[in-house]
Amino acid sequence: MKTLKTQVCIIGSGPSGLLLSQLLANAGIDTVVLDRKDRAYIEGRIRAGVLEQGTVKALEEAGVAERLHREGLAHDGFELAFDGDRHRIDIKALTGKTVTVYGQTEVTKDLFEKRIAEAQRFFFNVSEVAPYDLKSDQPCVRFRHENEDWTISCDYIAGCDGFHGVSRNAIPSEVLRTFERVYPFGWLGILVDKPPVSPELIYANHERGFALASMRSETRSRYYVQCDLRDDPADWPDERFYEEFARRLGPDVARTLETGPSFEKSIAPLRSFVAEPMRYGNLFLAGDAAHIVPPTGAKGLNLALADIRILARALIAHYRDGIDAHIDAYSETVLRRVWKVERFSWQLSLLMHQFPENSPFEKRMQRAEFDHLQSSETASRAVAENYVGLPLE
Ligand code: FAD
Ligand code: DHB
């Protein structure tokens, strides 16, 4: 058995774990980071694409925003489309803030590059990861790495291991409460090296289902359609995808659609999920390990990194100033914001999708909500305020 000591052991090397290790390193706090996958796999995972201003600020503070500022696209607004009618939410005019289009793959690459340059201690391809002694002042994480058993002892464990990780379930079942809603459809997404169909994102609710026109750059588009959960990406050759996507966005938008061979095609299920509490003893949960939002509204990555900003501040206050109040308040502080973001993502998902179980009444409710957004600046501002990111308390 090999052993190692550190201040904070971080389980998971996705965006949450990486940003935490960077923010703590900047404050002189020692961390070890474990992941069951390797760097190339993590960097290649195609996921989020839209960053809130607060997320960009956190990446700036971490010292990893140079390429983001060079290559990211600032967006002042986005569009909602409903049965052919379009409504632009001018987020800049309504909130004074913007969002930035920059892929999660790129955020991860930038963070990895800096962590590796600064000689961060990583263990990749680990298995049998088990956090234990969580209530003691020296909690441990056990795992296997390259046919050897390891134990890391530390002051704190950060569970940043995503929805399918082990950290959440290390909290005793009599303490852990979970809340969940699973949606009866998925999102089929493609990436294609063609300019985006529109300069801003368009979220569309059409009688045939939801569609989203997004992008990664001025030459790379990311498009989604709502699909059946039983579908397989192979059921969706590119021709079928583009035909459906164009119909749902409507003829005005479809006219400018440039099609080409997709180089990524996958189906993501939609889920709302929250685990409480987000701290147990000296284990903290952060990011997808504790909560999932449906992707409508682009909140998942931003919410994960907001947790990390709050957690990093709390740990820095402990190590630098000897103040534990922020650590003690972590779960409560973070969950208050998490629930607000859950509410927004849920509400926007309800508005923008075709639900098989919806009666004509619910369809009229969707239409009325869209009409209200179109006619009320106050209603649009509420959407904009959530889209650009709620403040950290
Ligand atoms: P993850 O990225 O899941 O990272 C967890 C890490 O832990 C992984 O590297 C994993 O390998 C590792 N791990 C798991 N189990 C273990 C274990 N037992 N031991 C060690 N390591 C382990 N969010 C947005 O904000 N905007 C968007 O536009 C957006 N679009 C999305 C589109 C799609 C199709 C999907 C699927 C998600 C989208 N999201 C979006 C959500 C966003 O991708 C996630 O919220 C984000 O990845 C969360 O980061 P994380 O680091 O908390 O978790
Ligand atoms: C993307 C994903 C989202 O969920 C969203 O709301 C906006 C953009 C994307 O992958 O580009």
Side-chain angles (χ1 to χ4, degrees):
M1 167 81 73
K2 294 201 157 187
T3 59
L4 195 64
K5 255 177 111 60
T6 185
Q7 289 175 300
V8 181
C9 180
I10 301 176
I11 308 178
S13 184
S16 298
L18 287 169
L19 181 64
L20 182 63
S21 71
Q22 187 62 53
L23 292 172
L24 296 183
N26 292 351
I29 298 165
D30 187 59
T31 63
V32 173
V33 182
L34 327 173
D35 204 290
R36 65 173 173 200
K37 301 289 187 189
D38 63 19
R39 178 181 175 186
Y41 181 94
I42 298 164
E43 287 183 349
R45 254 186 326 229
I46 310 290
R47 286 181 165 180
V50 179
L51 305 182
E52 296 171 356
Q53 205 158 298
T55 303
V56 170
K57 200 166 139 241
L59 295 168
E60 274 166 13
E61 281 166 16
V64 290
E66 197 193 309
R67 192 163 66 97
L68 187 165
H69 285 310
R70 227 174 32 241
E71 297 178 11
L73 306 175
H75 279 205
D76 295 349
F78 65 94
E79 282 192 78
L80 295 175
F82 205 96
D83 286 340
D85 293 334
R86 287 162 69 179
H87 173 52
R88 179 167 186 267
I89 306 268
D90 188 334
I91 55 177
K92 177 99 180 276
L94 292 165
T95 67
K97 295 183 184 154
T98 60
V99 294
T100 303
V101 168
Y102 192 69
Q104 178 168 332
T105 46
E106 308 315 299
V107 172
T108 312
K109 280 180 206 161
D110 296 342
L111 281 163
F112 261 125
E113 198 176 314
K114 191 160 167 72
R115 291 317 307 124
I116 302 263
E118 293 182 6
Q120 169 69 45
R121 182 94 200 235
F122 282 106
F123 287 88
F124 292 116
N125 295 313
V126 298
S127 59
E128 298 169 41
V129 178
Y132 65 99
D133 282 353
L134 304 178
K135 289 234 148 174
S136 89
D137 53 14
Q138 203 177 67
C140 292
V141 180
R142 222 179 3 230
F143 59 96
R144 259 186 99 66
H145 180 252
E146 294 177 350
N147 293 321
E148 283 187 303
D149 290 318
W150 283 82
T151 299
I152 296 184
S153 62
C154 52
D155 303 329
Y156 298 106
I157 301 172
C160 301
D161 47 352
F163 185 63
H164 300 288
V166 294
S167 300
R168 185 175 64 250
N169 292 323
I171 299 179
S173 56
E174 61 279 14
V175 177
L176 189 72
R177 275 194 82 186
T178 61
F179 305 82
E180 182 170 50
R181 174 173 182 148
V182 176
Y183 299 80
F185 40 73
W187 279 21
L188 170 70
I190 66 159
L191 270 175
V192 56
D193 274 330
K194 289 286 175 189
V197 65
S198 168
E200 292 184 340
L201 271 67
I202 306 175
Y203 295 81
N205 185 350
H206 181 269
E207 61 183 16
R208 296 177 63 88
F210 169 83
L212 166 59
S214 181
M215 66 195 75
R216 289 292 175 272
S217 69
E218 276 154 1
T219 54
R220 178 168 291 181
S221 299
R222 177 70 164 158
Y223 297 146
Y224 295 95
V225 292
Q226 173 183 347
C227 68
D228 195 293
L229 270 176
R230 290 160 302 192
D231 284 359
D232 186 284
D235 301 333
W236 286 86
D238 288 349
E239 306 70 54
R240 179 180 175 206
F241 180 92
Y242 287 124
E243 195 188 315
E244 193 58 40
F245 180 70
R247 268 167 104 164
R248 294 184 190 184
L249 285 176
D252 283 354
V253 181
R255 220 169 287 125
T256 56
L257 177 64
E258 288 188 47
T259 61
S262 67
F263 61 90
E264 201 271 345
K265 191 179 281 165
S266 52
I267 294 179
L270 275 73
R271 182 193 300 273
S272 298
F273 176 89
V274 181
E276 294 180 350
M278 285 175 59
R279 176 194 182 190
Y280 178 75
N282 289 319
L283 167 74
F284 300 94
L285 300 181
D288 280 19
H291 42 70
I292 297 289
V293 289
T296 335
K299 292 293 115 185
L301 172 62
N302 292 296
L303 184 57
L305 298 188
D307 291 356
I308 294 301
R309 293 155 69 196
I310 296 169
L311 180 55
R313 278 184 204 169
L315 289 168
I316 292 168
H318 166 81
Y319 284 109
R320 197 182 50 199
D321 310 320
I323 295 172
D324 282 349
H326 303 290
I327 281 185
D328 293 338
Y330 171 75
S331 180
E332 206 182 302
T333 309
V334 152
L335 279 166
R336 222 176 3 251
R337 189 173 183 283
V338 164
W339 277 112
K340 287 189 253 181
V341 178
E342 288 282 345
R343 188 210 63 80
F344 173 68
S345 304
W346 163 79
Q347 184 73 42
L348 198 59
S349 299
L350 291 190
L351 174 65
M352 296 311 295
H353 292 84
Q354 293 290 323
F355 285 75
E357 72 270 23
N358 268 4
S359 69
F361 176 81
E362 273 113 10
K363 292 192 177 183
R364 289 288 194 281
M365 289 294 100
Q366 287 182 322
R367 179 74 222 188
E369 191 177 336
F370 180 79
D371 289 347
H372 184 222
L373 285 173
Q374 268 194 313
S375 59
S376 161
E377 191 178 297
T378 308
S380 291
R381 182 172 287 114
V383 169
E385 183 177 271
N386 281 279
Y387 198 81
V388 298
L390 298 175
L392 298 197
E393 280 177 28

